[in-house]
Amino acid sequence: MTDENPDGRGSKRVRELAELIKQSQSERNRSFTELPTTQQLYRCFPFHDGSLERDIYVWAPQRSRMLQAYGGQCAALAVLLNALRDDPCAQTTQAAADYAQEILGFDTGDVPARALDEVADARWRLVYYAWRMGSERAAPAVADAVYDMVKSAPDTLAKAELWATAWETVVARAPVTYDGWHRQRGHDSAMADLAQIGLIAFDVLSAKARLAGEQEKRRREEHGKALRDLMDNPAGSVQADIYQMLPDDFEPEVEQAPRPGQVCVGDLTHLPQRKGEGPYTEFLPLSNVRLPARPMPDLVQTSTALKARFPWMHGVIDRALETQVGRPFPALPPLLLWGPPGCGKNEAARALGQALGMAVTEYPCGGTSDATFGSTSRQWHSGRACVPLQAIRRAMAPNPMIVLDELEKAGTSRRNGALSDVLLGMLEPGSRRAYFDAYIECDVDLSPVSFVATCNRIEALRGPLLDRFLVLEIPAPRAQYREVIAQGIVARLREESGLDPRFVPDLDHVELDALRAWKGGSIRPLRRAVERLVALRNSPNLAH
């Protein structure tokens, strides 16, 4: 696999791999605007537009039209793909993948060979979708697909990227599944696979090291050229004086790549252009402007910080952050945090948004009995834009987070419209990209906006509204997390009061021992107890 040179840097294979890595990066960049192939997805390429939902929305109708032309079983599969486009969830995806498997497993000769190839490719893509949506049943199927794709991979880099998917699928996440899957291959086959992976990894890492060295060499040459140009400038003495003032580690500023972002509001020239008032003046700063978003933070560090603060929510945090892999900037799918009162749902939602760098707007749903969340026509004196568009305008960013607090307590009367009816359009992947705002009378792109709802009882939400959410159940915290929760409450008391940490230190062992009466459940009684302990520190009766 490698050259006789110990570090592999001079080998022909490493040089070829370095060129392949450059080409692969170019292809990955194009996948944001062009739909990636199924094998590219298995090679860890990002989804179209960086979004799983968007990838399904574009791919499903394309493949559906192709299968519809073959009729019979292929037409039935096309119907399932159309349903997947309208309801992109793990259950719908797995059902379509299972039906595709039935077509391949019980072929009677009625399906043309070309159609079978289309069905096979569709099945591999569907099981990959299902796995990325959290379906553990899809993991072995993804591993099988990788195993077959590796045999026909065009180059070593493609094999390395495919093995990376196999490793993440069945080794890192489901070791038990991996053991059963590899036993089917046999011991000798397993050893051969591991040996091949090791050799491939060595060559790929050597190629990446070679690229890093070349980039560092080019950077130093560019810096040296900039300094020589500075010294050779006809101004002479002036430039020499500037050069003497430069620090020893001076590096000329290199233009950075533009920050990720998105245009949310289009042209507004159709609105009355009055001075100082009206929707035109209010939203003109957003018209045809690509609003910048903070790039995606390090998800591993974000996960570690959130789990340290909410140790009883490990599964919820992992599932929420998994949806952000491969995206250029944070934008969560609609989430519903469901759990008993006082388990920390609202606080977890706010902390998740802040950790991802999103501006958070909390909207209390309790008692809401109209549809003003979704904008009001400017024909009314109280006309205003929808709440998400207002949040975009305040943050001047395309991806704020809207926390829908206690969604199940929203009013159900439709006399003045209902909040649930408004949310149906905002949460639907297709319509949210072109949501009509009655105040500015044009479509608004709400696809980057993150909607996170909380509720205590899920029964009241069953139906079309619940189907649009990724439901995550939050358990009540147990007594073993008492110290972590209590110290976190003290930290938030410091933030709320604006006091120096020296004046509100963490709880000591005596104070923590006084909280042993809290045995888990709602955090609210624990917060009241911590507030009382902090207040007692300043009590005159305890001064001596």
Side-chain angles (χ1 to χ4, degrees):
M1 291 292 294
T2 58
D3 196 60
E4 296 179 358
N5 188 354
D7 61 9
R9 287 176 181 268
S11 70
K12 179 180 179 182
R13 179 178 293 278
V14 171
R15 290 195 299 271
E16 292 174 349
L17 274 173
E19 292 299 321
L20 290 172
I21 291 173
K22 294 179 183 178
Q23 297 174 12
S24 176
Q25 186 57 49
S26 177
E27 293 175 0
R28 289 173 189 274
N29 293 336
R30 286 201 303 271
S31 69
F32 280 100
T33 56
E34 300 176 4
L35 191 68
T37 65
T38 300
Q39 187 173 95
Q40 285 177 334
L41 288 181
Y42 276 81
R43 289 174 56 187
C44 310
F45 276 53
F47 290 113
H48 180 56
D49 273 354
S51 168
L52 172 58
E53 292 179 352
R54 182 60 181 165
D55 198 286
I56 293 174
Y57 190 78
V58 174
W59 172 80
Q62 290 183 1
R63 186 54 54 91
S64 175
R65 286 191 295 271
M66 296 174 65
L67 294 173
Q68 192 74 38
Y70 295 109
Q73 292 176 305
C74 292
L77 179 58
V79 173
L80 292 178
L81 294 183
N82 289 331
L84 174 62
R85 178 198 60 187
D86 299 331
D87 182 21
C89 64
Q91 292 81 359
T92 310
T93 307
Q94 191 65 59
D98 292 342
Y99 190 76
Q101 177 62 25
E102 290 182 14
I103 297 176
L104 297 171
F106 299 98
D107 178 31
T108 60
D110 298 334
V111 181
R114 182 177 179 183
L116 288 176
D117 292 339
E118 299 290 348
V119 172
D121 183 79
R123 179 185 178 254
W124 291 136
R125 197 177 190 102
L126 289 166
V127 295
Y128 186 83
Y129 284 156
W131 169 61
R132 291 299 294 268
M133 291 177 180
S135 173
E136 294 184 4
R137 190 159 70 89
V142 172
D144 286 334
V146 168
Y147 194 84
D148 292 336
M149 290 179 183
V150 165
K151 299 176 183 177
S152 60
D155 50 62
T156 304
L157 178 62
K159 291 181 180 180
E161 292 171 340
L162 287 168
W163 280 123
T165 298
W167 181 266
E168 183 182 4
T169 307
V170 294
V171 181
R173 295 193 180 187
V176 176
T177 305
Y178 171 75
D179 292 340
W181 176 73
H182 239 321
R183 276 199 297 271
Q184 297 176 4
R185 306 290 179 191
H187 178 75
D188 294 339
S189 176
M191 292 299 100
D193 290 346
L194 292 175
Q196 183 185 16
I197 294 171
L199 292 172
I200 290 174
F202 179 84
D203 284 343
V204 171
L205 291 176
S206 299
K208 290 184 176 180
R210 181 187 184 90
L211 280 177
E214 292 175 352
Q215 292 172 355
E216 176 65 16
K217 181 180 178 180
R218 285 196 300 270
R219 186 180 67 85
R220 291 182 177 277
E221 290 175 350
E222 290 173 357
H223 294 170
K225 181 177 182 300
L227 290 176
R228 287 194 299 272
D229 291 344
L230 186 66
M231 291 299 298
D232 295 340
N233 192 285
S237 60
V238 176
Q239 297 293 345
D241 291 341
I242 296 176
Y243 177 74
Q244 294 297 328
M245 297 168 61
L246 294 176
D248 294 336
D249 58 347
F250 167 76
E251 294 183 359
E253 182 177 354
V254 180
E255 184 178 353
Q256 301 294 324
R259 292 180 62 181
Q262 193 159 326
V263 177
C264 295
V265 179
D267 186 64
L268 297 178
T269 54
H270 62 281
L271 294 174
Q273 301 177 20
R274 301 168 183 166
K275 293 184 178 179
E277 62 178 8
Y280 180 81
T281 303
E282 186 177 356
F283 288 96
L284 184 59
L286 274 64
S287 178
N288 292 321
V289 173
R290 186 175 184 273
L291 299 175
R294 295 180 63 178
M296 185 70 70
D298 187 303
L299 293 179
V300 175
Q301 295 180 3
T302 302
S303 175
T304 302
L306 289 173
K307 289 178 180 178
R309 183 172 173 181
F310 304 98
W312 65 98
M313 299 186 190
H314 279 210
V316 172
I317 294 170
D318 285 339
R319 188 67 185 92
L321 294 182
E322 281 176 4
T323 64
Q324 302 305 285
V325 176
R327 292 191 60 88
F329 60 85
L332 294 165
L335 301 180
L336 177 64
L337 305 184
W338 165 46
C343 66
K345 301 183 291 294
N346 281 26
E347 188 175 347
R350 290 193 299 270
L352 176 62
Q354 292 166 358
L356 292 174
M358 295 186 285
V360 180
T361 296
E362 188 167 343
Y363 187 86
C365 300
T368 302
S369 58
D370 55 32
T372 54
F373 185 90
S375 78
T376 308
S377 172
R378 59 189 177 87
Q379 296 176 358
W380 297 90
H381 177 71
S382 58
R384 65 176 185 178
C386 64
V387 171
L389 182 55
Q390 294 180 51
I392 291 173
R393 180 177 176 272
R394 285 194 300 271
M396 289 304 291
N399 62 332
M401 174 185 285
I402 309 296
V403 178
L404 301 166
D405 182 22
E406 296 185 321
L407 181 58
E408 83 278 16
K409 293 183 174 60
T412 57
S413 171
R414 287 180 167 80
R415 181 176 181 182
N416 297 312
L419 174 62
S420 59
D421 294 339
V422 173
L423 290 176
L424 290 178
M426 289 188 177
L427 302 180
E428 184 67 27
S431 58
R432 67 188 298 187
R433 300 186 71 87
Y435 181 81
F436 184 80
D437 187 282
Y439 183 63
I440 62 175
E441 299 179 350
C442 69
D443 292 340
V444 180
D445 189 352
L446 300 182
S447 59
V449 179
S450 299
F451 293 89
V452 180
T454 67
C455 76
N456 299 330
R457 296 180 300 104
I458 203 170
E459 292 77 11
L461 300 177
R462 295 197 181 278
L465 181 59
L466 184 62
D467 291 342
R468 283 164 169 77
F469 283 103
L470 172 60
V471 180
L472 303 177
E473 184 176 1
I474 295 183
R478 299 193 295 271
Q480 68 189 81
Y481 304 124
R482 182 190 305 111
E483 181 175 346
V484 174
I485 299 173
Q487 300 293 18
I489 292 173
V490 174
R492 286 185 288 284
L493 289 175
R494 284 196 293 260
E495 294 176 3
E496 294 169 1
S497 61
L499 294 175
D500 190 283
R502 291 174 295 180
F503 295 103
V504 188
D506 290 341
L507 301 177
D508 57 30
H509 69 280
V510 176
E511 293 170 319
L512 290 171
D513 191 63
L515 299 174
R516 286 189 171 275
W518 187 77
K519 301 299 183 183
S522 175
I523 299 175
R524 296 186 181 111
L526 182 61
R527 180 182 175 91
R528 290 194 291 270
V530 172
E531 290 174 344
R532 180 60 178 161
L533 287 174
V534 173
L536 286 173
R537 291 173 175 176
N538 299 323
S539 174
N541 297 329
L542 300 178
H544 302 290

